[in-house]
Amino acid sequence: MDIKTDFLKKTIFTPLNLATKTLFAASDAINDIARYLHYFKVAQLEFKPRADDIFIVTYPRSGTTWLQMILYQLATDGNMEIDHIAQKVPWFERLIDYRIWNAKDFEAMNSPRLFKSHLSVQDVPKGDCKYIYMVRNGYDVAISYFEFYCSHLGFKGDFDQFFKKFIDGDVQFGSWFVHAADWKAMSKKSDSIKSSQILFLKFEDMKNDFDAQLDKIINFAGFKIPSDKLPEIKERCSFKFMKQHEDKFDHITAQIWEKGYKRSSFIREGKSGKGKMRFSPEQDKQFQSFLKKFDI
Ligand code: A3P
């Protein structure tokens, strides 16, 4: 490196890099604070739980989507008119985190409102509503989460590296141990949530005796399911059916919906000359003046 480059590096580039990094870190921190304040305002102060609301709460990779489908099927006597399950059983905190929904949007939902959530006992909205918590064997959760980290979150490490993070709670949703233990404790003692408001399920029981667990869910939620609808509902909640219709359940499509993008909006119309018609006269005027200014 010649003397001039070295001088430039020391006096300009390195301080500039540092300043940029600091600014980005500060903007991330401000963004996090803004998100938290927004979450607190909507979820804790403005959201009004209803008695027939059901929060499906899990640690990720514990069968959340399965429960979403079961609840959706039971609530609609086996409807399947969905682009994605997130439209009918939205992820409560994520819609708030993305600042897409406010209290009015939640209010506009028809009862019974069904929500997916990964919130801790401390952070979940409290009220006269119901919670279904499903726990899964921690080993299976860790492996399934590792696979998800690799396939969806760009994790490049091996399982050992992931395992350390999982154990330390240094993963997206914190410690599995704390999450599961806190919810289990709350389902036994009545505290900020009464134990009668929580149905505590195990993924393994769902696998081993689905019918018995389904009965528990139906009774807890207070659904009246016509007996002739049950076989189809069960079939639709099977792994085979959900795997066959994976695009209605997967993470990527859910994010598209949560972020407010519309399906069929990428390859859109392919026509020309219609754009200008959507401009107001004022917009058109401003646009024209810019065209002129830039000599286009
Ligand atoms: P595996 O990765 O072990 O296959 P979540 O929805 O909380 O992210 O959980 C995902 C896990 O639930 C995945 O576990 C997935 O295969 C499993 N799962 C989803 N639907 C299921 C179903 N109908 N029956 C059994 N397991 C299901």
Side-chain angles (χ1 to χ4, degrees):
M1 200 180 299
D2 61 36
I3 295 170
K4 197 174 154 205
T5 318
D6 191 38
F7 175 77
L8 278 176
K9 195 178 162 214
K10 278 194 187 130
T11 55
I12 300 188
F13 297 144
T14 309
L16 258 183
N17 272 346
L18 260 175
T20 315
K21 269 190 195 155
T22 314
L23 274 178
F24 274 126
S27 107
D28 280 354
I30 290 171
N31 210 15
D32 282 351
I33 294 170
R35 281 172 55 180
Y36 181 74
L37 288 177
H38 182 72
Y39 168 76
F40 188 79
K41 179 170 88 72
V42 177
Q44 305 293 348
L45 303 177
E46 296 177 346
F47 175 76
K48 296 198 177 46
R50 299 176 192 159
D52 53 5
D53 283 346
I54 300 178
F55 280 87
I56 294 165
V57 192
T58 57
Y59 189 86
R61 310 311 290 164
S62 303
T64 329
T65 320
W66 192 8
L67 267 183
Q68 282 176 278
M69 179 60 169
I70 293 170
L71 268 295
Y72 168 62
Q73 286 295 300
L74 293 175
T76 61
D77 288 348
N79 204 324
M80 202 50 212
E81 285 157 21
I82 46 167
D83 283 336
H84 194 280
I85 194 71
Q87 292 168 294
K88 300 292 176 184
V89 192
W91 187 348
F92 181 79
E93 60 271 25
R94 248 261 283 268
L95 286 173
I96 306 176
D97 269 357
Y98 284 158
R99 280 175 260 176
I100 289 171
W101 276 30
N102 56 33
K104 274 195 198 134
D105 298 306
F106 287 109
E107 209 47 52
M109 285 176 78
N110 292 330
S111 289
R113 296 183 300 186
L114 307 171
F115 300 114
K116 155 186 170 172
S117 176
H118 291 316
L119 289 170
S120 65
V121 157
Q122 291 79 24
D123 289 339
V124 82
K126 311 287 189 309
D128 183 23
C129 51
K130 296 186 167 93
Y131 307 85
I132 301 183
Y133 187 85
M134 181 140 84
V135 70
R136 185 183 188 187
N137 174 326
Y139 295 94
D140 292 338
V141 172
I143 293 292
S144 180
Y145 211 6
F146 168 63
E147 294 296 344
F148 179 78
Y149 254 65
C150 296
S151 60
H152 285 74
L153 303 180
F155 185 69
K156 299 277 182 263
D158 57 18
F159 180 67
D160 192 48
Q161 284 161 303
F162 178 81
F163 176 77
K164 289 191 181 87
K165 288 164 76 63
F166 186 81
I167 289 286
D168 291 343
D170 179 23
V171 278
Q172 273 186 322
F173 291 88
S175 167
W176 173 79
F177 303 93
V178 173
H179 201 277
D182 281 358
W183 272 99
K184 187 175 175 193
M186 187 61 84
S187 74
K188 295 197 173 211
K189 66 167 188 215
S190 287
D191 198 332
S192 53
I193 303 174
K194 286 193 224 109
S195 52
S196 58
Q197 288 175 264
I198 305 178
L199 177 65
F200 196 85
L201 298 173
K202 294 181 184 158
F203 183 94
E204 292 69 29
D205 292 343
M206 298 276 289
K207 292 285 297 174
N208 294 335
D209 192 356
F210 183 75
D211 288 5
Q213 304 309 307
L214 191 68
D215 277 350
K216 275 191 197 171
I217 296 171
I218 293 171
N219 290 333
F220 177 75
F223 291 130
K224 302 266 176 293
I225 310 296
S227 54
D228 60 320
K229 295 277 181 192
L230 266 179
E232 192 181 38
I233 289 176
K234 286 184 197 170
E235 202 269 315
R236 286 186 173 167
C237 295
S238 67
F239 183 85
K240 191 171 159 216
F241 181 92
M242 289 180 61
K243 183 77 189 162
Q244 270 166 1
H245 299 84
E246 197 166 358
D247 64 322
K248 295 193 187 303
F249 304 104
D250 72 335
H251 184 69
I252 306 286
T253 319
Q255 283 201 316
I256 290 171
W257 183 79
E258 282 159 0
K259 287 190 174 163
Y261 304 134
K262 300 262 183 330
R263 269 170 102 80
S264 313
S265 62
F266 185 62
I267 311 286
R268 213 176 46 88
E269 281 185 340
K271 295 184 179 152
S272 67
K274 279 175 71 182
K276 191 176 159 79
M277 282 154 47
R278 311 255 296 257
F279 277 51
S280 69
E282 290 76 16
Q283 290 163 339
D284 194 15
K285 205 168 147 201
Q286 204 179 6
F287 193 77
Q288 298 273 355
S289 77
F290 269 67
L291 288 177
K292 213 181 237 172
K293 190 171 156 194
F294 290 94
D295 196 26
I296 301 165

